[in-house]
Amino acid sequence: MRCLPFCRNADMPQPQPSTRSNIPSFIAMDVMREAKTLAREGADIVHLEVGEPGAAPPRAVREAAIAALSGGRVAYTEALGIPALREAIARNYRERYDLAVDPARVVVTTGSSGGFVLAFLAMIEHGGRIGIPNPGYPAYRNILQALGIEAVEIETGPQSRFALSAAAIEAAHAEKKLDAVLLMSPANPTGVLTPAAEVKRIAETCARLGIWLISDEIYHGLTYEGEEASALSHSDDAVIVNSFSKYYCMTGWRVGWLVVPERLLRPIECLQQNLSISVPYLSQIAAVAAFGARDDLEAIKAGYARNRAILMENLPRLGLTPLPMDGAFYAYCGIAKYSNDSMEFSRRALREAGLAITPGLDFDRINGQGFVRLSYAGSEVDIVKAVERLKAWLG
Ligand SMILES: Cc1ncc(COP(=O)(O)O)c(C=O)c1O
């Protein structure tokens, strides 16, 4: 091997990665990496591990991107996003929720993931505390850990149908003061919807306690039972996080949005200018077209509804017990009949049945060993195949 001009001696001190970067992995992504490696080696894998629509985005979205690309220049945009997209997002609140939102309060972000970083930094001091639902989306607590903000996990359970409740928030705040609360509905990994009346109670509770409310509405549009409510309907001061990744099938485009109260706008603009300059131009242009493709998107959603029905019928027969599957595209299933080690169960499902699923431990470090999450955002063919494989493997 050729030696580089400067070679380290083993006894020289070496700088180390920061402790703040020492955060847990996103296990679903680890499973996906392993599943893709196995697939490259020739294994036939059914992917149920990542919450990613199997469908391509609507044709109008792709055509808008192609037209913009043909135009030549792909440039930086305003840090808060192109006006056409901010206006389209605001218009969508009027059309979908009958809410008047000033486009000036809309911030375009690099997926909702980018939105979280901006919002957390703008809202909460280093060392601050934010209540998040448990089980919940793992990146919340992992991002918060890297940012030096304490994630206070608020248990959800059968008493609230696994939804975050105003009473639980109040109890957590009474124990030790929170600076903010994160609501997610429909939820990941459970699919559970927080009822509209409870969203209202949560907004009122946060206002009374003088704490921020941040509402992750990324699965809005994907509700099969019950009525989804935006926190914006009950509070102008809530910070709304949303994305084109799920309902709009645009995961890889990395485009999402925030709706924020006025006083957060300039701090978020400065953060975005410095952290990423702007969101990819082509993705922003394409996202404008997504709002005009409702029929295509509803057809894709109808496919999820069929997948959901197949799983709701078959999972309990197999002794896998899903939590209420109100929305999103997940079945979060108890596996007590087979295992109390969701990591091992998922590893075996991949190796022995060719099924990539995510261990509950990703979403819940306390009770997650007893659960796995199956995403049904893929094709019906895949879901039928997955059920057959589960029957053969567990039967
Ligand atoms: C609840 C929730 N929020 C946020 C995200 C991040 O999505 P994106 O950054 O693609 O918008 C996900 C992704 O799975 C999610 O499930």
Side-chain angles (χ1 to χ4, degrees):
M1 194 174 72
R2 198 168 67 87
C3 195
L4 295 171
F6 173 78
C7 281
R8 273 193 72 252
N9 289 331
D11 57 356
M12 285 179 177
Q14 193 180 33
Q16 293 303 308
S18 69
T19 48
R20 78 166 81 187
S21 69
N22 184 17
I23 62 173
S25 73
F26 192 162
I27 301 175
M29 301 299 289
D30 285 347
V31 175
M32 181 174 84
R33 179 175 25 74
E34 195 181 341
K36 287 195 168 179
T37 305
L38 288 174
R40 267 197 304 279
E41 289 164 0
D44 175 20
I45 307 292
V46 178
H47 289 275
L48 308 174
E49 76 279 35
V50 179
E52 175 155 65
R59 179 184 291 274
V61 169
R62 287 174 279 143
E63 283 177 353
I66 291 165
L69 186 58
S70 307
R73 198 148 177 267
V74 175
Y76 290 142
T77 75
E78 299 89 332
L80 293 176
I82 58 172
L85 182 53
R86 296 172 74 198
E87 280 157 20
I89 291 167
R91 223 171 17 251
N92 188 51
Y93 280 97
R94 156 124 9 244
E95 285 163 12
R96 257 196 121 118
Y97 304 92
D98 198 23
L99 282 174
V101 172
D102 182 350
R105 291 177 53 206
V106 175
V107 181
V108 181
T109 59
T110 43
S112 67
S113 305
F116 279 115
V117 176
L118 296 173
F120 291 152
L121 284 171
M123 293 157 69
I124 307 170
E125 298 293 352
H126 187 269
R129 303 175 84 245
I130 170 164
I132 61 171
N134 190 57
Y137 178 57
Y140 297 151
R141 67 174 132 75
N142 299 343
I143 295 173
L144 289 165
Q145 186 181 329
L147 295 178
I149 297 168
E150 188 184 345
V152 179
E153 289 174 320
I154 303 178
E155 286 307 310
T156 63
Q159 74 291 349
S160 60
R161 251 186 111 254
F162 297 91
L164 191 63
S165 68
I169 292 167
E170 187 130 25
H173 185 74
E175 205 167 290
K176 193 168 171 200
K177 194 177 167 315
L178 299 171
D179 299 292
V181 160
L182 198 158
L183 168 68
M184 164 182 44
S185 171
N188 177 6
T190 59
V192 165
L193 186 76
T194 304
E198 196 61 30
V199 173
K200 182 167 185 277
R201 266 193 292 277
I202 290 173
E204 288 166 353
T205 302
C206 289
R208 182 164 42 78
L209 299 175
I211 63 179
W212 291 106
L213 171 60
I214 176 164
S215 179
D216 182 348
E217 302 182 356
I218 187 171
Y219 292 106
H220 274 213
L222 298 175
T223 295
Y224 316 97
E225 256 164 68
E227 196 194 333
E228 57 196 26
S230 172
L232 261 192
S233 307
H234 305 295
S235 165
D236 251 3
D237 212 44
V239 172
I240 309 299
V241 184
N242 210 322
S243 174
F244 290 91
S245 289
K246 309 295 175 169
Y247 178 72
Y248 301 94
C249 303
M250 294 175 68
T251 45
W253 300 70
R254 309 310 301 131
V255 56
W257 74 87
L258 299 170
V259 180
V260 301
E262 257 257 5
R263 64 191 183 287
L264 285 180
L265 262 179
R266 184 64 180 151
I268 286 182
E269 184 175 23
C270 295
L271 284 163
Q272 180 110 289
Q273 287 169 344
N274 286 286
L275 288 176
S276 53
I277 301 189
S278 67
V279 172
Y281 168 78
L282 291 177
S283 301
Q284 294 191 60
I285 300 278
V288 177
F291 290 117
R294 182 62 44 83
D295 290 350
D296 297 347
L297 296 167
E298 286 298 310
I300 294 169
K301 179 183 171 186
Y304 302 148
R306 286 193 295 276
N307 292 348
R308 171 178 178 266
I310 294 169
L311 291 180
M312 283 173 73
E313 186 184 336
N314 285 283
L315 291 173
R317 286 186 191 157
L318 287 162
L320 299 170
T321 49
L323 264 45
M325 293 164 66
D326 304 329
F329 33 51
Y330 303 115
Y332 192 57
C333 302
I335 53 169
K337 182 169 175 204
Y338 301 102
S339 172
N340 59 8
D341 182 344
S342 65
M343 291 294 281
E344 175 61 14
F345 186 84
S346 304
R347 222 172 273 130
R348 285 187 42 224
L350 183 59
R351 298 272 161 182
E352 296 170 17
L355 284 175
I357 58 178
T358 303
L361 204 61
D362 209 14
F363 312 100
D364 181 345
R365 289 173 300 180
I366 303 158
N367 301 312
Q369 285 291 23
F371 291 86
V372 293
R373 188 195 72 175
L374 279 53
S375 163
Y376 56 87
S379 69
E380 190 172 334
V381 170
D382 270 355
I383 293 299
V384 170
K385 210 192 239 185
V387 168
E388 278 164 8
R389 289 188 185 188
L390 280 171
K391 278 183 188 155
W393 185 52
L394 299 172

